[in-house]
């Protein structure tokens, strides 16, 4: 099956506590609450100082090409509280990197591990990917714990240029085949 058809069939997925679904402009306020807090996204992207900047980011990075990108919605409150997505999806090699973030108020509850396990299962069993990786800043210990709890194994440490400020940073890669 074509990976894009498979991704479209799983545009919405439920986990025990969350709904993984496409982003919508209805998420604008929830997204701004996350993206405007400097402490919430120190390793993801620069904080957005205005609603206009946040809306631009929401539309261009999460809504414009929606397949393989899921908003994380808390079932109990209906709030959009984070995202999980395939980055650098290579259809011919059947590989992808997974990126994610979560609203600070929901950290430490196992939510991202639950979402990562779900997307990982789908990646191998429904999208027929062969290799997944997670690359995090070396000092982002919380994301490293999430990767390990979801079964990913340490692959390497390396230096690289941060995609936003172009400064050299230390990174850690986890992988799963």
């Amino acid at each position: 099956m074509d990976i894009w058809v498979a991704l479209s069939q799983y545009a919405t997925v439920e986990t025990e506590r969350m709904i993984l679904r496409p982003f919508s402009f209805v998420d604008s306020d929830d997204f701004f609450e996350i993206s405007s807090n400097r402490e919430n996204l120190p390793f993801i992207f620069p904080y957005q100082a205005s609603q206009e900047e946040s809306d631009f980011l929401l539309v261009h990075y999460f809504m414009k090409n929606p397949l393989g990108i899921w908003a994380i919605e808390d079932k109990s409150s209906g709030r959009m509280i984070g995202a999980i997505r395939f980055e650098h999806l290579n259809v011919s090699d059947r590989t992808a990197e997974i990126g994610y973030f979560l609203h600070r108020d929901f950290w430490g509850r196992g939510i991202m591990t639950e979402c990562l396990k779900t997307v990982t299962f789908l990646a191998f069993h429904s999208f027929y990917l062969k290799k997944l990786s997670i690359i995090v800043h070396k000092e982002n210990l919380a994301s490293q714990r999430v990767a390990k709890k979801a079964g990913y194994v340490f692959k390497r440490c390396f230096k690289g240029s941060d995609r936003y400020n172009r400064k050299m940073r230390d990174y850690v890669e986890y992988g799963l085949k």
Side-chain angles (χ1 to χ4, degrees), residues 9-88:
Q9 292 175 344
Y10 289 94
T12 301
V13 178
E14 285 195 42
T15 72
E16 183 180 333
R17 299 175 289 169
M18 301 294 128
I19 298 171
L20 306 181
R21 58 160 176 81
F23 275 89
S24 163
F25 204 75
V26 172
D27 297 320
S28 174
D29 290 340
D30 289 337
F31 189 79
F32 181 62
E33 186 178 329
I34 295 169
S35 67
S36 64
N37 183 339
R38 287 181 199 266
E39 295 176 8
N40 200 73
L41 301 170
F43 305 110
I44 308 299
F45 46 77
Y47 87 100
Q48 306 303 300
S50 71
Q51 183 78 48
E52 183 180 2
E53 289 174 341
S54 178
D55 289 347
F56 181 89
L57 184 69
L58 172 65
V59 170
H60 286 273
Y61 288 89
F62 297 94
M63 291 177 62
K64 193 169 152 182
N65 298 304
L67 295 179
I69 301 173
W70 295 271
I72 300 170
E73 179 181 312
D74 177 42
K75 280 184 183 178
S76 63
S77 69
R79 286 176 60 195
M80 188 284 297
I81 61 168
I84 187 164
R85 64 185 285 166
F86 289 130
E87 299 182 7
H88 311 292

Side-chain angles (χ1 to χ4, degrees), residues 101-116:
F101 65 84
L102 190 64
H103 190 295
R104 185 178 184 86
D105 291 350
F106 293 84
W107 291 359
R109 299 183 191 178
I111 291 169
M112 191 52 72
T113 302
E114 179 180 317
C115 294
L116 180 58

Side-chain angles (χ1 to χ4, degrees), residues 3-5 44-45 66-67 72 80 89 107 133 149 160 177:
I3 191 168
W4 301 109
V5 172
I44 308 299
F45 46 77
L67 295 179
I72 300 170
M80 188 284 297
L89 177 60
W107 291 359
S133 64
K149 286 180 182 178
K177 292 182 181 183

